[in-house]
Amino acid sequence: MAPPLLQSLGYQSNAHRVLSLPELLQTIFSFGTRASNVSSALVCRNWREVALDQVWREIDDMYYLLDILTPLNRRVDTGFYSFRDTPTPEDWARFVPYARRVRSLKLGTTSSEKAIYLSESVFHDLACTRTTLEILPNLRRLWWDTSRISSSQYAVLFMHDKIIEFAFSLGYDSPALATDVVGRMPSLNSLICIRTTEYHLPEYDQVLQSLLSSLHNLHEVTLPKNNLDDRFLKTLSLLPELEVVKFDNLGGTPCDVTPTIGNTPEEGAFPKLRDLCLDSTMEDMRLYLTGGVLLPQLKNLSVESVQFFNDVTRCYPTLEVLSMDVIVYIEDQADCQPLSLEHFHPILSLTQLVRLELRHNLPLQISEVDLTEFGVALPAIEFLVLNPEPLLLTKPNFTLHSLQIISQNFPNLFHLGIYLDAEDVETHPLHSPAKTRVLPYLRTLNVGVSPIGPDHVPVALFLSHLLSDNESVVIQSGVSWATDLFDGSSEYEPMVRQRCDRWADAAKTLPLLLQLRKEEKAHRQDIEKEVEDLRMRNEVLIGKMLINQSAKSATAINDKGCTIC
Protein backbone atom coordinates (compact mmCIF):
# COMPACT_ATOMS: atom_id res chain seq x y z
CA MET A 1 0.00 0.00 0.00
CA ALA A 2 1.03 3.60 -0.54
CA PRO A 3 2.02 5.49 2.66
CA PRO A 4 -0.75 7.60 4.25
CA LEU A 5 0.96 10.85 3.18
CA LEU A 6 1.06 9.76 -0.46
CA GLN A 7 -2.56 8.60 -0.28
CA SER A 8 -3.58 12.01 1.04
CA LEU A 9 -1.85 13.58 -1.96
CA GLY A 10 -3.85 11.43 -4.40
CA TYR A 11 -1.38 8.63 -5.02
CA GLN A 12 -2.78 5.09 -5.36
CA SER A 13 -1.22 1.70 -4.87
CA ASN A 14 -0.71 -0.62 -7.84
CA ALA A 15 -3.43 -2.97 -6.57
CA HIS A 16 -5.87 -0.07 -6.26
CA ARG A 17 -5.16 1.11 -9.79
CA VAL A 18 -5.51 -2.42 -11.22
CA LEU A 19 -8.83 -2.99 -9.46
CA SER A 20 -10.12 0.25 -10.92
CA LEU A 21 -9.79 -0.91 -14.52
CA PRO A 22 -13.36 -1.21 -15.92
CA GLU A 23 -12.42 -4.02 -18.32
CA LEU A 24 -10.93 -6.13 -15.52
CA LEU A 25 -13.84 -5.43 -13.18
CA GLN A 26 -16.32 -6.39 -15.88
CA THR A 27 -14.60 -9.75 -16.30
CA ILE A 28 -14.49 -10.38 -12.54
CA PHE A 29 -18.10 -9.37 -11.93
CA SER A 30 -19.33 -11.50 -14.84
CA PHE A 31 -18.51 -14.59 -12.74
CA GLY A 32 -20.42 -13.29 -9.72
CA THR A 33 -24.02 -13.80 -8.65
CA ARG A 34 -26.64 -11.09 -8.64
CA ALA A 35 -26.32 -10.79 -4.85
CA SER A 36 -22.52 -10.54 -4.94
CA ASN A 37 -22.64 -7.89 -7.66
CA VAL A 38 -25.15 -5.86 -5.63
CA SER A 39 -22.66 -5.95 -2.73
CA SER A 40 -19.81 -4.96 -5.08
CA ALA A 41 -21.82 -1.95 -6.25
CA LEU A 42 -21.74 -0.63 -2.67
CA VAL A 43 -17.94 -0.76 -2.35
CA CYS A 44 -16.97 2.44 -4.15
CA ARG A 45 -17.94 4.73 -7.01
CA ASN A 46 -15.54 3.06 -9.47
CA TRP A 47 -17.09 -0.33 -8.86
CA ARG A 48 -20.67 0.88 -8.76
CA GLU A 49 -21.28 1.42 -12.46
CA VAL A 50 -19.56 -1.77 -13.60
CA ALA A 51 -21.29 -3.92 -10.97
CA LEU A 52 -24.73 -2.47 -11.73
CA ASP A 53 -24.17 -3.22 -15.42
CA GLN A 54 -23.89 -6.90 -14.46
CA VAL A 55 -26.86 -6.79 -12.06
CA TRP A 56 -29.24 -5.49 -14.72
CA ARG A 57 -27.62 -7.01 -17.80
CA GLU A 58 -29.97 -10.02 -18.00
CA ILE A 59 -33.56 -9.72 -16.78
CA ASP A 60 -35.33 -13.02 -16.13
CA ASP A 61 -38.25 -11.45 -14.29
CA MET A 62 -39.39 -8.05 -15.57
CA TYR A 63 -41.39 -7.42 -12.40
CA TYR A 64 -38.30 -6.25 -10.53
CA LEU A 65 -37.27 -3.89 -13.33
CA LEU A 66 -40.67 -2.23 -13.65
CA ASP A 67 -40.99 -1.95 -9.88
CA ILE A 68 -38.15 0.59 -10.06
CA LEU A 69 -40.17 2.76 -12.44
CA THR A 70 -43.20 2.86 -10.16
CA PRO A 71 -44.05 0.39 -7.35
CA LEU A 72 -46.30 -2.49 -8.40
CA ASN A 73 -49.23 -3.58 -6.25
CA ARG A 74 -51.08 -6.91 -6.49
CA ARG A 75 -54.84 -6.65 -6.61
CA VAL A 76 -56.62 -8.97 -4.22
CA ASP A 77 -59.60 -9.56 -6.50
CA THR A 78 -57.66 -10.55 -9.65
CA GLY A 79 -54.22 -11.56 -8.35
CA PHE A 80 -52.54 -9.43 -11.06
CA TYR A 81 -50.04 -6.62 -10.57
CA SER A 82 -50.62 -3.03 -11.65
CA PHE A 83 -48.77 0.26 -11.10
CA ARG A 84 -49.64 1.99 -7.85
CA ASP A 85 -49.41 5.32 -9.66
CA THR A 86 -49.20 6.25 -13.32
CA PRO A 87 -45.52 6.75 -14.23
CA THR A 88 -44.45 10.39 -14.49
CA PRO A 89 -41.61 11.99 -16.49
CA GLU A 90 -39.64 12.12 -13.24
CA ASP A 91 -40.17 8.39 -12.76
CA TRP A 92 -38.89 7.72 -16.28
CA ALA A 93 -35.84 9.92 -15.70
CA ARG A 94 -34.97 7.82 -12.63
CA PHE A 95 -35.63 4.61 -14.59
CA VAL A 96 -33.41 5.42 -17.60
CA PRO A 97 -30.00 4.60 -15.96
CA TYR A 98 -31.29 1.11 -15.19
CA ALA A 99 -33.04 0.61 -18.53
CA ARG A 100 -29.92 1.38 -20.55
CA ARG A 101 -28.04 -1.45 -18.81
CA VAL A 102 -30.44 -4.20 -19.94
CA ARG A 103 -29.13 -6.43 -22.73
CA SER A 104 -31.43 -9.46 -22.35
CA LEU A 105 -35.12 -9.62 -21.39
CA LYS A 106 -37.10 -12.84 -20.89
CA LEU A 107 -40.80 -12.83 -20.15
CA GLY A 108 -42.94 -15.88 -19.46
CA THR A 109 -40.16 -18.45 -19.73
CA THR A 110 -40.71 -19.93 -16.23
CA SER A 111 -43.79 -20.43 -14.05
CA SER A 112 -42.06 -18.81 -11.04
CA GLU A 113 -41.89 -15.34 -12.61
CA LYS A 114 -43.91 -12.60 -10.99
CA ALA A 115 -43.99 -10.89 -14.38
CA ILE A 116 -46.50 -13.38 -15.78
CA TYR A 117 -49.03 -11.79 -13.42
CA LEU A 118 -48.58 -8.28 -14.82
CA SER A 119 -51.97 -6.89 -15.81
CA GLU A 120 -52.67 -5.37 -19.21
CA SER A 121 -52.88 -1.96 -17.57
CA VAL A 122 -49.12 -2.10 -16.86
CA PHE A 123 -48.29 -2.38 -20.56
CA HIS A 124 -50.87 0.29 -21.45
CA ASP A 125 -49.26 2.67 -18.94
CA LEU A 126 -45.81 1.91 -20.38
CA ALA A 127 -47.04 2.67 -23.91
CA CYS A 128 -48.82 5.90 -22.96
CA THR A 129 -46.29 7.47 -20.59
CA ARG A 130 -42.87 6.51 -22.00
CA THR A 131 -40.70 9.50 -22.80
CA THR A 132 -38.69 7.77 -25.57
CA LEU A 133 -39.67 5.29 -28.26
CA GLU A 134 -37.17 2.67 -27.03
CA ILE A 135 -37.89 1.63 -23.44
CA LEU A 136 -34.74 -0.53 -23.29
CA PRO A 137 -32.44 1.16 -25.82
CA ASN A 138 -29.53 -1.31 -25.54
CA LEU A 139 -31.62 -4.50 -25.54
CA ARG A 140 -30.12 -7.22 -27.74
CA ARG A 141 -32.11 -10.37 -26.82
CA LEU A 142 -35.88 -10.55 -26.32
CA TRP A 143 -37.73 -13.73 -25.26
CA TRP A 144 -41.55 -13.60 -25.13
CA ASP A 145 -43.64 -16.69 -24.40
CA THR A 146 -47.30 -16.01 -25.17
CA SER A 147 -48.35 -19.30 -23.61
CA ARG A 148 -47.90 -17.56 -20.24
CA ILE A 149 -48.61 -13.95 -21.29
CA SER A 150 -52.10 -13.26 -22.62
CA SER A 151 -50.95 -11.56 -25.81
CA SER A 152 -47.80 -11.04 -27.81
CA GLN A 153 -48.81 -7.52 -28.85
CA TYR A 154 -47.07 -6.08 -25.79
CA ALA A 155 -43.72 -7.39 -27.00
CA VAL A 156 -43.84 -4.60 -29.58
CA LEU A 157 -43.10 -2.10 -26.79
CA PHE A 158 -39.59 -3.51 -26.44
CA MET A 159 -38.77 -4.09 -30.11
CA HIS A 160 -36.24 -1.93 -31.97
CA ASP A 161 -33.66 -2.26 -34.71
CA LYS A 162 -30.73 -3.15 -32.42
CA ILE A 163 -32.21 -6.46 -31.22
CA ILE A 164 -30.36 -9.44 -32.68
CA GLU A 165 -32.19 -12.39 -31.04
CA PHE A 166 -35.92 -12.93 -30.64
CA ALA A 167 -37.71 -15.94 -29.12
CA PHE A 168 -41.49 -16.33 -29.23
CA SER A 169 -44.29 -18.89 -29.23
CA LEU A 170 -46.91 -19.22 -31.93
CA GLY A 171 -50.41 -18.05 -31.03
CA TYR A 172 -53.62 -16.62 -32.39
CA ASP A 173 -52.02 -13.20 -32.92
CA SER A 174 -48.94 -14.57 -34.71
CA PRO A 175 -49.75 -12.85 -38.07
CA ALA A 176 -49.63 -9.39 -36.45
CA LEU A 177 -46.53 -10.35 -34.47
CA ALA A 178 -44.73 -11.51 -37.64
CA THR A 179 -45.40 -8.14 -39.27
CA ASP A 180 -43.99 -6.31 -36.25
CA VAL A 181 -40.89 -8.53 -36.13
CA VAL A 182 -39.99 -7.81 -39.75
CA GLY A 183 -40.73 -4.10 -39.49
CA ARG A 184 -39.19 -3.34 -36.10
CA MET A 185 -36.28 -5.81 -35.81
CA PRO A 186 -34.68 -6.00 -39.28
CA SER A 187 -31.23 -6.77 -37.80
CA LEU A 188 -32.26 -10.10 -36.26
CA ASN A 189 -29.66 -12.83 -36.70
CA SER A 190 -31.26 -15.40 -34.36
CA LEU A 191 -34.93 -16.45 -34.34
CA ILE A 192 -36.30 -19.00 -31.86
CA CYS A 193 -39.83 -20.34 -32.22
CA ILE A 194 -40.96 -22.06 -29.00
CA ARG A 195 -43.36 -24.99 -29.21
CA THR A 196 -46.01 -24.75 -26.48
CA THR A 197 -47.93 -27.93 -27.38
CA GLU A 198 -46.90 -31.42 -28.45
CA TYR A 199 -49.24 -31.19 -31.44
CA HIS A 200 -48.46 -29.62 -34.79
CA LEU A 201 -50.51 -26.49 -35.54
CA PRO A 202 -50.51 -26.30 -39.37
CA GLU A 203 -52.58 -23.09 -39.42
CA TYR A 204 -49.46 -21.16 -38.36
CA ASP A 205 -47.09 -22.69 -40.93
CA GLN A 206 -47.68 -20.08 -43.61
CA VAL A 207 -47.17 -17.23 -41.13
CA LEU A 208 -43.89 -18.72 -39.93
CA GLN A 209 -42.64 -19.39 -43.46
CA SER A 210 -43.42 -15.81 -44.48
CA LEU A 211 -41.59 -14.50 -41.42
CA LEU A 212 -38.49 -16.61 -42.14
CA SER A 213 -38.33 -15.62 -45.80
CA SER A 214 -38.41 -11.92 -44.84
CA LEU A 215 -35.46 -12.02 -42.40
CA HIS A 216 -32.46 -12.15 -44.74
CA ASN A 217 -29.84 -11.55 -42.03
CA LEU A 218 -30.66 -14.63 -39.98
CA HIS A 219 -27.63 -16.66 -38.86
CA GLU A 220 -29.44 -19.11 -36.56
CA VAL A 221 -32.98 -20.53 -36.54
CA THR A 222 -34.61 -22.77 -33.95
CA LEU A 223 -37.99 -24.26 -34.90
CA PRO A 224 -40.42 -26.81 -33.45
CA LYS A 225 -39.38 -30.28 -34.58
CA ASN A 226 -42.65 -30.71 -36.51
CA ASN A 227 -41.80 -27.77 -38.77
CA LEU A 228 -38.54 -29.12 -40.18
CA ASP A 229 -40.15 -30.63 -43.26
CA ASP A 230 -39.31 -30.05 -46.93
CA ARG A 231 -41.36 -26.80 -47.13
CA PHE A 232 -39.48 -25.13 -44.31
CA LEU A 233 -36.13 -26.53 -45.42
CA LYS A 234 -36.78 -25.02 -48.84
CA THR A 235 -37.50 -21.61 -47.27
CA LEU A 236 -34.47 -21.80 -45.01
CA SER A 237 -32.16 -22.90 -47.82
CA LEU A 238 -32.67 -19.53 -49.53
CA LEU A 239 -31.39 -17.47 -46.59
CA PRO A 240 -27.88 -16.36 -47.62
CA GLU A 241 -26.39 -15.93 -44.10
CA LEU A 242 -27.96 -18.90 -42.33
CA GLU A 243 -25.41 -21.01 -40.42
CA VAL A 244 -27.44 -23.00 -37.84
CA VAL A 245 -30.79 -24.84 -38.06
CA LYS A 246 -31.96 -26.49 -34.82
CA PHE A 247 -35.19 -27.81 -33.36
CA ASP A 248 -36.38 -26.82 -29.93
CA ASN A 249 -36.50 -30.18 -28.12
CA LEU A 250 -33.63 -32.37 -29.26
CA GLY A 251 -33.94 -35.66 -27.42
CA GLY A 252 -37.32 -34.71 -25.99
CA THR A 253 -40.86 -35.82 -26.68
CA PRO A 254 -41.22 -37.37 -30.16
CA CYS A 255 -43.29 -35.58 -32.81
CA ASP A 256 -46.97 -36.45 -33.07
CA VAL A 257 -46.41 -36.54 -36.85
CA THR A 258 -42.97 -37.27 -38.31
CA PRO A 259 -41.93 -34.47 -40.69
CA THR A 260 -41.70 -35.49 -44.34
CA ILE A 261 -38.69 -34.50 -46.43
CA GLY A 262 -39.47 -35.35 -50.04
CA ASN A 263 -37.00 -33.07 -51.81
CA THR A 264 -33.24 -32.67 -52.02
CA PRO A 265 -31.28 -29.39 -51.80
CA GLU A 266 -31.02 -27.38 -55.00
CA GLU A 267 -27.90 -25.74 -56.39
CA GLY A 268 -26.81 -22.88 -54.11
CA ALA A 269 -28.89 -24.07 -51.13
CA PHE A 270 -27.60 -23.30 -47.64
CA PRO A 271 -24.36 -21.62 -48.78
CA LYS A 272 -23.13 -21.06 -45.18
CA LEU A 273 -24.93 -23.78 -43.19
CA ARG A 274 -22.57 -25.52 -40.74
CA ASP A 275 -24.96 -26.93 -38.11
CA LEU A 276 -28.12 -28.90 -38.98
CA CYS A 277 -30.72 -30.83 -36.96
CA LEU A 278 -33.11 -33.21 -38.71
CA ASP A 279 -35.94 -35.46 -37.62
CA SER A 280 -37.65 -37.58 -40.28
CA THR A 281 -37.65 -41.10 -41.59
CA MET A 282 -34.29 -42.73 -42.17
CA GLU A 283 -34.75 -42.79 -45.93
CA ASP A 284 -35.92 -39.16 -46.16
CA MET A 285 -32.89 -37.89 -44.21
CA ARG A 286 -30.47 -40.09 -46.14
CA LEU A 287 -31.78 -38.85 -49.50
CA TYR A 288 -31.85 -35.22 -48.40
CA LEU A 289 -28.25 -35.27 -47.24
CA THR A 290 -26.74 -37.49 -49.90
CA GLY A 291 -29.13 -37.74 -52.87
CA GLY A 292 -28.72 -34.27 -54.33
CA VAL A 293 -26.47 -31.23 -54.00
CA LEU A 294 -24.27 -31.55 -50.92
CA LEU A 295 -24.19 -28.87 -48.22
CA PRO A 296 -20.69 -27.41 -48.67
CA GLN A 297 -20.05 -26.02 -45.16
CA LEU A 298 -21.79 -28.63 -43.00
CA LYS A 299 -19.73 -29.49 -39.90
CA ASN A 300 -22.26 -30.35 -37.17
CA LEU A 301 -25.11 -32.83 -37.66
CA SER A 302 -27.77 -33.82 -35.11
CA VAL A 303 -30.37 -36.42 -36.03
CA GLU A 304 -32.90 -38.72 -34.41
CA SER A 305 -32.09 -41.90 -36.32
CA VAL A 306 -29.13 -44.26 -36.67
CA GLN A 307 -29.01 -46.48 -39.78
CA PHE A 308 -28.20 -43.85 -42.36
CA PHE A 309 -24.68 -43.06 -41.09
CA ASN A 310 -22.97 -44.93 -43.91
CA ASP A 311 -23.96 -42.51 -46.66
CA VAL A 312 -23.79 -39.38 -44.52
CA THR A 313 -20.26 -39.95 -43.24
CA ARG A 314 -19.10 -40.74 -46.76
CA CYS A 315 -20.50 -37.46 -48.11
CA TYR A 316 -19.45 -35.28 -45.14
CA PRO A 317 -16.07 -36.61 -43.99
CA THR A 318 -15.08 -33.32 -42.27
CA LEU A 319 -17.88 -33.33 -39.68
CA GLU A 320 -16.63 -32.02 -36.33
CA VAL A 321 -19.76 -32.44 -34.18
CA LEU A 322 -22.16 -35.38 -34.35
CA SER A 323 -25.16 -35.91 -32.08
CA MET A 324 -27.51 -38.86 -32.37
CA ASP A 325 -30.70 -39.42 -30.37
CA VAL A 326 -32.85 -42.55 -30.77
CA ILE A 327 -35.54 -42.36 -28.12
CA VAL A 328 -39.12 -43.64 -27.72
CA TYR A 329 -41.61 -43.77 -24.89
CA ILE A 330 -40.59 -46.19 -22.15
CA GLU A 331 -43.62 -48.40 -22.75
CA ASP A 332 -42.62 -48.78 -26.43
CA GLN A 333 -38.96 -49.61 -25.94
CA ALA A 334 -39.46 -53.39 -26.04
CA ASP A 335 -39.15 -53.15 -29.84
CA CYS A 336 -35.87 -51.21 -29.66
CA GLN A 337 -32.58 -52.79 -30.66
CA PRO A 338 -29.48 -51.82 -28.65
CA LEU A 339 -26.70 -49.88 -30.35
CA SER A 340 -23.44 -51.79 -30.80
CA LEU A 341 -20.08 -51.19 -32.44
CA GLU A 342 -21.34 -52.26 -35.85
CA HIS A 343 -23.77 -49.32 -35.86
CA PHE A 344 -20.91 -46.91 -35.19
CA HIS A 345 -18.36 -48.16 -37.71
CA PRO A 346 -19.21 -45.36 -40.21
CA ILE A 347 -18.49 -42.77 -37.49
CA LEU A 348 -14.92 -44.03 -37.15
CA SER A 349 -14.07 -42.49 -40.52
CA LEU A 350 -14.72 -38.95 -39.17
CA THR A 351 -11.16 -38.23 -38.09
CA GLN A 352 -11.85 -34.53 -37.43
CA LEU A 353 -14.66 -35.24 -34.97
CA VAL A 354 -14.23 -33.32 -31.67
CA ARG A 355 -17.70 -33.84 -30.19
CA LEU A 356 -19.72 -37.06 -30.23
CA GLU A 357 -23.05 -37.53 -28.43
CA LEU A 358 -24.95 -40.85 -28.44
CA ARG A 359 -28.30 -41.31 -26.68
CA HIS A 360 -30.69 -44.25 -26.78
CA ASN A 361 -33.40 -45.96 -24.72
CA LEU A 362 -31.12 -48.94 -24.08
CA PRO A 363 -27.56 -48.95 -22.67
CA LEU A 364 -24.88 -49.04 -25.37
CA GLN A 365 -23.56 -52.51 -26.16
CA ILE A 366 -19.89 -51.57 -26.49
CA SER A 367 -16.92 -52.81 -24.48
CA GLU A 368 -13.63 -51.38 -23.25
CA VAL A 369 -11.96 -53.00 -26.26
CA ASP A 370 -14.39 -51.13 -28.52
CA LEU A 371 -13.43 -47.89 -26.77
CA THR A 372 -9.82 -48.52 -27.78
CA GLU A 373 -10.92 -48.77 -31.41
CA PHE A 374 -12.89 -45.54 -31.01
CA GLY A 375 -9.85 -43.77 -29.55
CA VAL A 376 -7.50 -44.85 -32.33
CA ALA A 377 -9.95 -43.72 -35.02
CA LEU A 378 -11.07 -40.47 -33.33
CA PRO A 379 -7.98 -38.94 -31.70
CA ALA A 380 -9.36 -35.38 -31.57
CA ILE A 381 -12.43 -36.12 -29.40
CA GLU A 382 -12.84 -33.60 -26.56
CA PHE A 383 -16.56 -33.94 -25.75
CA LEU A 384 -17.88 -37.51 -25.47
CA VAL A 385 -21.37 -38.58 -24.40
CA LEU A 386 -21.94 -42.35 -24.27
CA ASN A 387 -25.64 -42.56 -23.40
CA PRO A 388 -25.38 -41.77 -19.66
CA GLU A 389 -29.17 -41.73 -19.11
CA PRO A 390 -30.85 -44.77 -20.74
CA LEU A 391 -34.50 -45.46 -19.99
CA LEU A 392 -33.80 -49.17 -19.44
CA LEU A 393 -31.83 -49.50 -16.21
CA THR A 394 -29.92 -52.73 -16.81
CA LYS A 395 -26.41 -53.43 -15.49
CA PRO A 396 -23.85 -51.22 -17.31
CA ASN A 397 -20.97 -52.68 -19.32
CA PHE A 398 -18.56 -50.09 -17.89
CA THR A 399 -17.28 -49.64 -14.34
CA LEU A 400 -15.33 -46.89 -12.62
CA HIS A 401 -12.14 -48.69 -13.69
CA SER A 402 -13.20 -48.06 -17.30
CA LEU A 403 -12.33 -44.40 -16.78
CA GLN A 404 -8.65 -45.38 -16.93
CA ILE A 405 -9.20 -47.08 -20.30
CA ILE A 406 -11.05 -44.00 -21.54
CA SER A 407 -8.20 -41.77 -20.39
CA GLN A 408 -5.66 -43.81 -22.34
CA ASN A 409 -7.72 -43.60 -25.55
CA PHE A 410 -9.21 -40.10 -25.24
CA PRO A 411 -6.51 -38.00 -23.52
CA ASN A 412 -8.02 -34.63 -24.52
CA LEU A 413 -11.47 -35.08 -22.96
CA PHE A 414 -12.91 -32.14 -21.01
CA HIS A 415 -16.50 -33.51 -20.90
CA LEU A 416 -17.48 -37.17 -20.46
CA GLY A 417 -20.97 -38.62 -20.18
CA ILE A 418 -21.10 -42.34 -19.39
CA TYR A 419 -23.39 -44.99 -17.88
CA LEU A 420 -21.24 -47.04 -15.50
CA ASP A 421 -21.50 -49.43 -12.57
CA ALA A 422 -20.44 -47.87 -9.25
CA GLU A 423 -22.17 -50.30 -6.89
CA ASP A 424 -19.18 -52.49 -5.98
CA VAL A 425 -16.14 -50.24 -5.76
CA GLU A 426 -12.60 -50.72 -4.55
CA THR A 427 -11.15 -47.70 -2.80
CA HIS A 428 -8.08 -47.51 -5.04
CA PRO A 429 -7.95 -47.55 -8.86
CA LEU A 430 -5.99 -50.18 -10.68
CA HIS A 431 -2.25 -49.60 -10.92
CA SER A 432 -1.21 -47.00 -13.49
CA PRO A 433 2.23 -45.61 -14.30
CA ALA A 434 3.27 -42.99 -11.78
CA LYS A 435 3.80 -40.25 -14.33
CA THR A 436 0.57 -40.90 -16.29
CA ARG A 437 -2.13 -38.34 -15.56
CA VAL A 438 -5.70 -39.72 -15.81
CA LEU A 439 -8.09 -37.46 -17.75
CA PRO A 440 -5.98 -34.36 -17.01
CA TYR A 441 -8.30 -31.92 -18.83
CA LEU A 442 -11.62 -33.35 -17.60
CA ARG A 443 -13.92 -30.72 -16.14
CA THR A 444 -17.34 -32.45 -16.24
CA LEU A 445 -18.18 -36.10 -15.54
CA ASN A 446 -21.87 -36.78 -16.29
CA VAL A 447 -22.87 -40.15 -14.85
CA GLY A 448 -26.56 -39.71 -15.74
CA VAL A 449 -28.55 -42.51 -14.08
CA SER A 450 -25.61 -44.83 -13.33
CA PRO A 451 -26.16 -47.27 -10.44
CA ILE A 452 -24.28 -46.48 -7.23
CA GLY A 453 -24.18 -48.26 -3.87
CA PRO A 454 -25.81 -46.89 -0.70
CA ASP A 455 -22.42 -45.73 0.60
CA HIS A 456 -21.07 -42.95 -1.62
CA VAL A 457 -17.74 -42.65 0.21
CA PRO A 458 -15.88 -45.46 -1.64
CA VAL A 459 -16.93 -43.91 -4.95
CA ALA A 460 -15.68 -40.48 -3.91
CA LEU A 461 -12.41 -41.99 -2.63
CA PHE A 462 -11.90 -43.89 -5.87
CA LEU A 463 -12.48 -40.79 -7.98
CA SER A 464 -10.23 -38.69 -5.76
CA HIS A 465 -7.37 -41.16 -6.35
CA LEU A 466 -8.08 -41.37 -10.07
CA LEU A 467 -8.51 -37.62 -10.69
CA SER A 468 -5.99 -36.33 -8.16
CA ASP A 469 -4.10 -34.31 -10.81
CA ASN A 470 -7.19 -32.44 -12.03
CA GLU A 471 -7.79 -28.80 -11.11
CA SER A 472 -11.52 -29.40 -10.55
CA VAL A 473 -14.13 -31.87 -11.75
CA VAL A 474 -17.90 -31.41 -11.57
CA ILE A 475 -20.01 -34.57 -11.26
CA GLN A 476 -23.43 -34.36 -12.91
CA SER A 477 -26.29 -36.84 -12.64
CA GLY A 478 -29.96 -37.06 -13.57
CA VAL A 479 -32.02 -37.06 -16.77
CA SER A 480 -32.53 -34.40 -19.42
CA TRP A 481 -35.43 -36.14 -21.17
CA ALA A 482 -39.00 -34.83 -21.13
CA THR A 483 -40.71 -36.44 -18.13
CA ASP A 484 -43.62 -37.80 -20.16
CA LEU A 485 -41.21 -40.22 -21.85
CA PHE A 486 -41.09 -42.32 -18.68
CA ASP A 487 -44.54 -41.59 -17.22
CA GLY A 488 -45.52 -45.14 -18.20
CA SER A 489 -43.13 -46.64 -15.62
CA SER A 490 -43.81 -46.44 -11.91
CA GLU A 491 -40.32 -47.72 -11.05
CA TYR A 492 -38.06 -45.57 -13.21
CA GLU A 493 -38.43 -42.18 -11.51
CA PRO A 494 -38.03 -43.40 -7.87
CA MET A 495 -34.96 -45.46 -8.79
CA VAL A 496 -33.39 -42.56 -10.69
CA ARG A 497 -34.09 -40.17 -7.82
CA GLN A 498 -32.38 -42.55 -5.37
CA ARG A 499 -29.32 -42.89 -7.60
CA CYS A 500 -29.09 -39.15 -8.19
CA ASP A 501 -29.26 -38.42 -4.45
CA ARG A 502 -26.32 -40.77 -3.87
CA TRP A 503 -24.31 -39.25 -6.71
CA ALA A 504 -25.06 -35.80 -5.33
CA ASP A 505 -23.53 -36.87 -2.00
CA ALA A 506 -20.45 -38.16 -3.83
CA ALA A 507 -20.22 -34.90 -5.78
CA LYS A 508 -20.26 -32.90 -2.52
CA THR A 509 -17.53 -35.06 -0.99
CA LEU A 510 -15.20 -35.18 -4.00
CA PRO A 511 -13.89 -31.55 -3.95
CA LEU A 512 -12.72 -31.93 -0.35
CA LEU A 513 -10.99 -35.22 -1.13
CA LEU A 514 -9.35 -33.75 -4.23
CA GLN A 515 -8.03 -30.89 -2.11
CA LEU A 516 -6.65 -33.39 0.41
CA ARG A 517 -4.99 -35.32 -2.42
CA LYS A 518 -3.36 -32.12 -3.65
CA GLU A 519 -2.08 -31.28 -0.18
CA GLU A 520 -0.90 -34.86 0.26
CA LYS A 521 0.88 -34.70 -3.10
CA ALA A 522 2.50 -31.36 -2.24
CA HIS A 523 3.62 -32.75 1.14
CA ARG A 524 5.03 -35.84 -0.55
CA GLN A 525 6.91 -33.67 -3.05
CA ASP A 526 8.37 -31.63 -0.18
CA ILE A 527 9.54 -34.82 1.54
CA GLU A 528 11.00 -36.10 -1.74
CA LYS A 529 12.89 -32.81 -2.15
CA GLU A 530 14.24 -33.07 1.40
CA VAL A 531 15.28 -36.69 0.81
CA GLU A 532 16.97 -35.70 -2.45
CA ASP A 533 18.72 -32.81 -0.69
CA LEU A 534 19.92 -35.15 2.07
CA ARG A 535 21.08 -37.66 -0.52
CA MET A 536 23.11 -35.01 -2.33
CA ARG A 537 24.62 -33.75 0.93
CA ASN A 538 25.46 -37.31 1.91
CA GLU A 539 27.20 -37.86 -1.42
CA VAL A 540 29.19 -34.65 -0.94
CA LEU A 541 30.25 -35.66 2.59
CA ILE A 542 31.22 -39.15 1.45
CA GLY A 543 33.18 -37.61 -1.40
CA LYS A 544 35.03 -35.32 1.00
CA MET A 545 35.77 -38.22 3.33
CA LEU A 546 37.19 -40.27 0.46
CA ILE A 547 39.36 -37.34 -0.63
CA ASN A 548 40.68 -36.86 2.93
CA GLN A 549 41.42 -40.55 3.27
CA SER A 550 43.27 -40.55 -0.05
CA ALA A 551 45.30 -37.52 1.05
CA LYS A 552 46.25 -39.16 4.35
CA SER A 553 47.27 -42.36 2.59
CA ALA A 554 49.47 -40.43 0.15
CA THR A 555 51.15 -38.56 3.07
CA ALA A 556 51.83 -41.79 4.93
CA ILE A 557 53.47 -43.35 1.87
CA ASN A 558 55.70 -40.30 1.36
CA ASP A 559 56.74 -40.35 5.03
CA LYS A 560 57.85 -43.99 4.74
CA GLY A 561 60.07 -43.20 1.76
CA CYS A 562 61.73 -40.17 3.35
CA THR A 563 65.58 -40.30 4.13
CA ILE A 564 66.98 -38.22 7.05
CA CYS A 565 70.58 -37.10 6.67
Side-chain angles (χ1 to χ4, degrees), residues 228-288:
L228 282 174
D229 56 17
D230 49 8
R231 297 169 303 153
F232 278 88
L233 289 171
K234 171 67 174 178
T235 301
L236 295 172
S237 70
L238 301 177
L239 298 177
E241 302 297 326
L242 191 62
E243 298 179 0
V244 178
V245 175
K246 299 189 293 186
F247 43 71
D248 64 345
N249 62 335
L250 179 64
T253 306
C255 294
D256 56 319
V257 178
T258 301
T260 301
I261 306 176
N263 300 325
T264 57
E266 299 177 359
E267 191 69 37
F270 292 116
K272 294 187 177 181
L273 188 70
R274 56 178 173 79
D275 191 334
L276 176 63
C277 292
L278 288 178
D279 176 43
S280 186
T281 64
M282 177 196 69
E283 186 62 17
D284 278 2
M285 288 190 289
R286 186 187 67 80
L287 286 176
Y288 187 78

Side-chain angles (χ1 to χ4, degrees), residues 389-405:
E389 42 186 295
L391 296 182
L392 181 64
L393 301 179
T394 56
K395 188 176 180 65
N397 288 341
F398 301 123
T399 67
L400 285 173
H401 292 291
S402 302
L403 296 177
Q404 291 175 288
I405 306 298

Side-chain angles (χ1 to χ4, degrees), residues 193-204:
C193 182
I194 305 166
R195 186 177 73 161
T196 57
T197 174
E198 61 182 293
Y199 301 106
H200 183 208
L201 303 174
E203 59 268 28
Y204 300 133

Side-chain angles (χ1 to χ4, degrees), residues 28-42 50-68 98 101-102 104:
I28 294 173
F29 294 156
S30 66
F31 293 98
T33 63
R34 182 183 179 87
S36 67
N37 286 330
V38 169
S39 299
S40 297
L42 302 175
V50 183
L52 287 179
D53 282 344
Q54 293 297 325
V55 170
W56 296 104
R57 186 178 186 83
E58 298 180 359
I59 304 299
D60 295 326
D61 193 339
M62 191 167 61
Y63 168 89
Y64 297 101
L65 180 66
L66 296 183
D67 196 48
I68 295 175
Y98 298 93
R101 303 178 194 274
V102 179
S104 172

Side-chain angles (χ1 to χ4, degrees), residues 415 444-448 474-478 503 507:
H415 181 105
T444 303
L445 176 61
N446 180 9
V447 294
V474 176
I475 296 181
Q476 296 178 347
S477 61
W503 279 113

